[in-house]
Amino acid sequence: MTFLRHSLAALLLLPASCAMADTTDYPLTVDNCGMDMRFESAPERVITIGQSATEILYALGLSDRVKGTSVWFTPVLPQFREDNEHIERLADNDPGFESVVSRRPDLVAVQYEWHVGPAGSVATREQFSELGINTYIMPADCDTKDNSTGGDGTRTGAFTPDSIYKGITELATIFDVQAAGAALVDDLRTREQKAVARARSLDLPADLSAVFWFSSPASGAAPYMAGRLGAPGYMMKALGIHNVIESDEEWPTVDWETVVRADPDIIVLARMDRRRYPADAIAVKRAFLENDPVAREMTAVKEGHIIEMDAHAMSATMRTIYGLETLADALSNMSFDS
């Protein structure tokens, strides 16, 4: 078993085109977010808790294995719409533990550790394990991240898409669909490189700054702004943009006075279908920026440098690469002449 674990570790260090060359040897043990998961064969029945895990499985051609989904922020990607229509949605947000286990999964694939973890809102990993159900948490939510701090967690190191590629590679290995995993990783890497090259060719100002606004718990309340080490922080750094929010928290609440004082050149707004908080709605965000007597004086608002981005791209998911493309496209249509 030690040999298998080491073999998988070595596999993940290889380029995608090489790493996926072989078939999976079972039983397979995967060290996932600090817990060993043993697979006697490829899972046949999967429940997903989190849109990222769902869409990656779809992208790997595994929609027929998915028996239920939950936790959705935005509509499924268009290319997976037909597959998704035939799969039961257990809940738009957190599903109940009983509703998950009643579908008799042999794997629960999870986007956020706070859903399935030491203090999981759905259950702990141990609760699933006691029923013989494996759990897999996307590495992007535990690699370089401490989720014991509460809320959305705190980054202990900067997010990079490598953790997304690692999750794709591991899932492809678990399900023995290595070729599909290699193709997906290669496509995302290529798109990432092209988006960065496009933005870098724009000769943007060296001191260009931005904030990413996800939502707010109440109208006019301190917003949830992206910290410097999460997915938005990666996007900004990759394109040479300064994040005016210096926190290591994933989504800290920041008072508007601090944001206005920083006066960012760009404001990126999360667009989502979820309606947990008033400012989940893009129209509420825009109305606040346009009508608040202080916020409307910010440079980004006065210059119209406001970008709408898929909320799911602001999380550490494969859609982060799509968000990078959105940002690069928007920048190409903006003027920053002083």
Side-chain angles (χ1 to χ4, degrees):
M1 200 56 60
T2 299
F3 170 76
L4 286 171
R5 190 178 296 115
H6 289 328
S7 296
L8 181 58
L11 178 73
L12 296 175
L13 294 176
L14 294 174
S17 58
C18 298
M20 299 290 187
D22 300 323
T23 58
T24 301
D25 290 327
Y26 300 101
L28 174 74
T29 298
V30 180
D31 180 359
N32 173 240
C33 294
M35 189 171 183
D36 282 350
M37 292 287 108
R38 178 184 168 97
F39 297 88
E40 301 295 338
S41 60
E44 295 291 336
R45 298 182 59 83
V46 186
I47 296 295
T48 59
I49 302 177
Q51 189 170 348
S52 175
T54 306
E55 291 185 334
I56 286 175
L57 290 174
Y58 290 171
L60 292 174
L62 297 167
S63 62
D64 62 320
R65 311 285 182 95
V66 180
K67 306 305 177 183
T69 70
S70 57
V71 188
W72 290 85
F73 287 93
T74 60
V76 70
L77 288 168
Q79 61 267 38
F80 307 133
R81 191 175 296 140
E82 185 174 347
D83 288 335
N84 192 64
E85 286 177 352
H86 303 292
I87 297 173
E88 182 182 11
R89 181 174 295 197
L90 306 186
D92 290 335
N93 293 304
D94 300 13
F97 177 61
E98 293 78 8
S99 71
V100 174
V101 300
S102 68
R103 272 66 182 183
R104 298 177 290 106
D106 47 13
L107 175 66
V108 176
V110 184
Q111 178 173 344
Y112 298 116
E113 192 173 25
W114 68 273
H115 281 134
V116 178
S121 63
V122 177
T124 65
R125 301 186 81 175
E126 289 74 17
Q127 284 176 283
F128 282 111
S129 182
E130 288 171 0
L131 297 176
I133 301 171
N134 274 327
T135 51
Y136 181 85
I137 300 172
M138 299 308 299
D141 196 58
C142 56
D143 288 1
T144 69
K145 190 178 177 194
D146 180 4
N147 290 309
S148 68
T149 60
D152 293 302
T154 300
R155 288 281 170 184
T156 58
F159 161 83
T160 74
D162 286 345
S163 61
I164 301 300
Y165 305 148
K166 174 184 175 182
I168 293 169
T169 301
E170 288 186 336
L171 283 171
T173 303
I174 290 167
F175 284 91
D176 196 15
V177 289
Q178 289 86 335
L184 179 57
V185 170
D186 287 346
D187 176 62
L188 292 172
R189 284 192 188 278
T190 299
R191 294 176 67 164
E192 177 188 4
Q193 292 164 2
K194 287 182 177 179
V196 172
R198 181 180 186 190
R200 294 291 186 175
S201 71
L202 298 175
D203 194 25
L204 299 169
D207 60 349
L208 196 64
S209 63
V211 292
F212 278 57
W213 178 13
F214 194 83
S215 191
S216 298
S219 180
Y224 295 111
M225 294 287 189
R228 66 189 182 95
L229 298 178
Y234 152 76
M235 284 187 257
M236 285 182 269
K237 184 176 181 180
L239 302 189
I241 302 170
H242 171 64
N243 183 3
V244 303
I245 308 301
E246 298 290 341
S247 174
D248 290 350
E249 291 183 44
E250 194 86 342
W251 291 100
T253 53
V254 183
D255 61 82
W256 277 111
E257 290 77 7
T258 298
V259 179
V260 171
R261 189 163 52 248
D263 195 23
D265 298 301
I266 301 165
I267 299 174
V268 185
L269 307 179
R271 182 181 61 250
M272 69 187 89
D273 284 1
R274 188 195 77 169
R275 292 294 182 267
R276 179 175 290 177
Y277 303 121
D280 284 352
I282 198 77
V284 172
K285 295 185 183 79
R286 283 192 170 275
F288 174 82
L289 293 175
E290 294 166 1
N291 298 311
D292 183 83
V294 178
R296 69 189 182 194
E297 295 303 315
M298 286 189 288
T299 298
V301 180
K302 291 195 292 185
E303 297 294 328
H305 292 166
I306 297 175
I307 301 170
E308 295 184 12
M309 182 180 290
D310 175 2
H312 202 44
M314 293 188 183
S315 294
T317 70
M318 70 176 184
R319 286 206 196 192
T320 297
I321 306 304
Y322 302 178
L324 194 66
E325 293 172 327
T326 296
L327 194 54
D329 289 346
L331 291 171
S332 69
N333 293 310
M334 290 182 178
S335 172
F336 298 98
D337 296 333
S338 52

